[in-house]
Amino acid sequence: MKIYGLTGGSGAGKSAAAQRLAAHGLGWVDADAVYRNLCVPGSALLDALHAAFGDILTPDGALDRPALARLVFSDADALAHLNDLTRPYIWQASRERFEHLAAQGTDCILYDAPTLFQTGFDRLCDAVIGVVASRETRIARIMARDGLTRDAAAARIDAQPDSAFYREKCDFILENDGDLSALERQIADLCPRLLSGT
């Protein structure tokens, strides 16, 4: 079984890339989805987050993701603490998902994780794919997707590594400043290499 990490900053288009990679035959484990499933009311992880960060719950006891994002994206230490706290929970649940896919005969698995390097999960991958886009493109996408102001979108980006970080650390880079057809062409070129393990 090969595990390929997929990462990139907010607004770079990582989810669009993941969908297209999966359509080419890679199994797909989304670390964000794993995290959301671990944060249901009454869960051990949600209790730990509440204890660490305070008032981050909705009135019905669910995780208030925007409230937590406001805390951690404005404070590098808080973001590091969040990563440290969630890492063991996410990794254990992700491994269970990998094993489930492998048991179904999936040889190549995409591990879609925005904080792949920050959590150290990159060391568990056979190779890492980075999705990058210009700062202005990312700001526009975040504003459209999340309804944030320009300043809030820029603050989110500025709290994350820049494109140079991904270019230096990743084995493969997908440039995503263009349209979806341009991204698809890059993925169509890359997938035979991933699926053959070369």
Side-chain angles (χ1 to χ4, degrees):
M1 177 178 65
K2 293 276 188 183
I3 298 175
Y4 295 110
L6 178 72
T7 192
S10 185
K14 185 175 56 59
S15 294
Q19 290 168 6
R20 283 152 183 81
L21 286 160
H24 280 267
L26 278 76
W28 180 12
V29 176
D30 181 346
D32 273 350
V34 169
Y35 172 57
R36 284 192 296 272
N37 289 336
L38 290 169
C39 288
V40 295
S43 67
L45 178 53
L46 188 57
D47 289 346
L49 291 172
H50 186 219
F53 295 102
D55 188 17
I56 54 160
L57 301 181
T58 64
D60 61 355
L63 176 63
D64 186 339
R65 287 172 66 91
L68 181 58
R70 284 192 296 274
L71 286 174
V72 301
F73 285 125
S74 62
D75 182 336
D77 290 338
L79 183 58
H81 184 45
L82 175 67
N83 288 336
D84 288 343
L85 183 63
T86 58
R87 181 187 299 118
Y89 292 94
I90 293 171
W91 182 243
Q92 178 58 37
S94 296
R95 283 184 59 190
E96 291 170 4
R97 184 69 183 137
F98 297 156
E99 290 163 7
H100 175 74
L101 288 169
Q104 293 181 325
T106 303
D107 294 326
C108 296
I109 297 172
L110 189 67
Y111 190 42
D112 176 358
T115 57
L116 189 77
F117 291 106
Q118 297 90 324
T119 55
F121 292 158
D122 62 295
R123 295 190 296 272
L124 305 166
C125 298
D126 293 283
V128 177
I129 306 156
V131 185
V132 300
S134 71
R135 189 173 189 275
E136 286 304 312
T137 297
R138 293 174 62 198
I139 288 173
R141 286 176 179 159
I142 293 169
M143 290 172 65
R145 182 190 69 200
D146 298 339
L148 297 180
T149 64
R150 179 181 175 81
D151 286 348
R156 180 173 294 184
I157 286 172
D158 292 342
Q160 300 173 3
D162 61 12
S163 292
F165 172 89
Y166 296 106
R167 291 183 197 285
E168 177 186 341
K169 292 185 171 290
C170 295
D171 302 286
F172 305 102
I173 290 290
L174 297 171
E175 304 279 354
N176 194 25
D177 275 309
D179 59 16
L180 290 176
S181 62
L183 178 63
E184 173 59 37
R185 285 193 296 273
Q186 295 175 72
I187 288 171
D189 288 341
L190 176 60
C191 278
R193 297 176 65 186
L194 300 179
L195 293 168
S196 66
T198 61

